Amino acid sequence: MAVYFATAMASMSLTAAPENVVAVWPAAGIAVGALLMLGPRARWPVGFAVFAANVVAGLYQGKPNASVLTFAAANTLECLLIARLTERFAGAPFNINNFRRVLIFLCAALLGSAIAAVPAAVMVTLAGTTASPFIDVWSLWFRSDFIGIITVAPVFVGFGVAMTALPTRLEWAEGLLLLLLLVAAAIYLLSLPPQGGPWPSSVASSLLFPFMLAVAARCRPLFPAAGSALIALVVIVTANLGIGRFGAGDFSLADRILQAQVAMAGIALCSLSLAALFARGHEAEDALRESEEKLRVSLAAGRLGHWELDLARREVTGSDISYAVFGGVPRPRLTYAEVVSAVHRDDRARFEAAVENAIERSNVIDLECRAFWPDRTVHWVHLVGRVDRDRRGKPVKINGTSRDITQRKEVESALRDSEKQQRLALDAAHIGTWRHDIATGKVTFDVRADQHVGLGPVADWRRFVDLLQADNHLAGRNALSPPVDPAIDVEQSFGAFRVCRHDGTWHWLRIGTVVAFEGTGTNRRVVSMVGTTQDETERIQSEEQQKLLVLELDHRVKNMLTVIEVLIDRSLENAQSPDALAASIRARIGAMGRVHDKLSRSKWSGVDLKTIVDEELAPFRTPYNLTLAGPAVLLSPAAALALSMTVHELATNAAKHGSLSRAGGLVSISWDIEPDCRENGILRIRWQEDKGPTISSAPQRLGFGTSIIRGLIRHELGGTVDFTLEPGGVRCELRVAASKVLADSAVIWPD
């Protein structure tokens, strides 16, 4: 309000008689500029201040109350209307940074000044203070307000914009210096005496254009706006003092006022136009500079370098980082040959082929290669580029970026090594892995896990769960509870499952599950899930077999101890001397030890009948005294022990009293299984001696060996023994049910 009042009082001194209207009204420019600078929120406070200042100034000048109120209302309406129209069509906050906004501002100023001049001219005409017609009064009032607005308001607008982004000290110094030169030139040119009438005086002001152009080109809009206002001030002062081109007394007052207004209007329009045009250029430069800085920072943050290959000159230019990626010292340019020589020799052909392929076909380069640094260290580089072509399609240059990815490659290499070691460890342990995709509900199995589960490389999660729970409801529910019930605070679980594969075979699998959750309470949910599979069928079968072997061994040891006890007792009854007793016991226990050794080596799975016969008869064998015939028969542990004792007693008896006791004796052993179903088949073993000592009469009682044979076959195996002493030697036939003597393994039946 104070500024407006002071400006209004100063403007009163420029009242043009006899119309009593000032030649220029800068107070209107102050009001409009304040509204545009402060924005819509200051509309009513500024309007009230303008009205009050006009009232005070009018009363101070002693004008009638009606005139004071009319002028105050007209000036207030003028500034509010111009500000509203400008903000409505040019936007808020207002800025003179483009020609469209300047044009809108000028149109708003024209319209607002024309409307506000109507009530003011009416009041002046009705007051009788002038003899001039209404149109002349309206024209002078309109011109004075319009010029005051377009010369002063932009200064406030430029100042408000400058406060949001303060100019640097260098910009302030340069702008003030150019303004000083502009004012000096204006004072000099406008102080010269007029020559050739008033209009050449107005044209002389056009000589200020080069100075105004320099200010607009070098400075922000604030400075050219201020320059326009300062020139207007020089015009007003020289005209008011009656000196120079606008103050000479040779011309009429109306002519001098008109030429001053034309000069000020022309200078203001020129200044605003130049400011708008160059502001766009300055903004574009600032935006480009800011964009380049952001790009530089982004490239530096990402360790990216920019490069450009000129295909005509075969030269490469770019940022320092691009040179650093290739290990070179930053230089203005590199030759294409130097870049190629920096590439690792094993990647050089691939690099050149990628460049040529981009030029001829793909237009794109995306390549990872190795580069030598001056210290001879090797670095990995990722190159991405695109070919630029002219209007005829001829390749002109390639623009791209480069990045040092050595660290990433090292991490990838370490990760591959780690994964390889992990895979080797998993393969060594026969462990497979699987992953559950929560989003799709799919389970992905690796090769080994697929072998274990048998559902294929990818399967539904529900199908996997059903497979595990098919024969293991409780175990499956416990092991799979974390993914099924997130409320359970478990992140890792294991379970053993008996599953049936698609081929109908049953296997034992050990399933491990690791689950990652997020959230708590009712919001807790599964994020990811991985697991392992391990086929434990062989281990579980081995454990079960081991348990059976332990039980069998316990049973056999007890039986063996019983047999040994009986052997000792019966040997004492038939012993002729201590040495004979020891020899017989040692031989029989040796036979038992040999068959136990064979059973141990076969893990108690069974012993072949021919092996038992061969080993028991080995001490007595000659090339001509034994014949063996029979199929391969795998005996159970109990049958092997009983039959080995039986063969031992028969061989001992033949060596002492039968065919093996003399040269030329012959023993034939044969066996077969009478064809029938396994349950009813009969294993038949024949022992036939020939060409032995002549037997005069049958013995009065059976010996201990014969008792052992009959007892073992009858009591241990449930079979029968046909033992006969014939003139040629002993004939013994053993008949035992196959189901009593055969092991669980496959049996080769005779043809």
Side-chain angles (χ1 to χ4, degrees), residues 94-151:
F94 178 68
N95 192 0
I96 54 174
N97 58 351
N98 65 62
F99 193 76
R100 174 181 172 275
R101 292 180 177 178
V102 170
L103 185 60
I104 292 174
F105 169 68
L106 293 175
C107 292
L110 283 170
L111 182 60
S113 300
I115 293 174
V118 173
V122 170
M123 180 55 64
V124 171
T125 304
L126 293 178
T129 57
T130 179
S132 299
F134 168 80
I135 190 64
D136 292 341
V137 177
W138 175 87
S139 174
L140 183 58
W141 189 290
F142 161 71
R143 284 181 278 128
S144 64
D145 279 15
F146 176 72
I147 294 171
I149 292 170
I150 65 175
T151 55

Side-chain angles (χ1 to χ4, degrees), residues 544-554 603-604:
E544 292 177 351
Q545 185 179 17
Q546 187 175 7
K547 292 177 183 178
L548 293 175
L549 288 176
V550 171
L551 294 175
E552 180 70 17
L553 181 61
D554 180 65
K603 297 182 180 180
W604 289 82

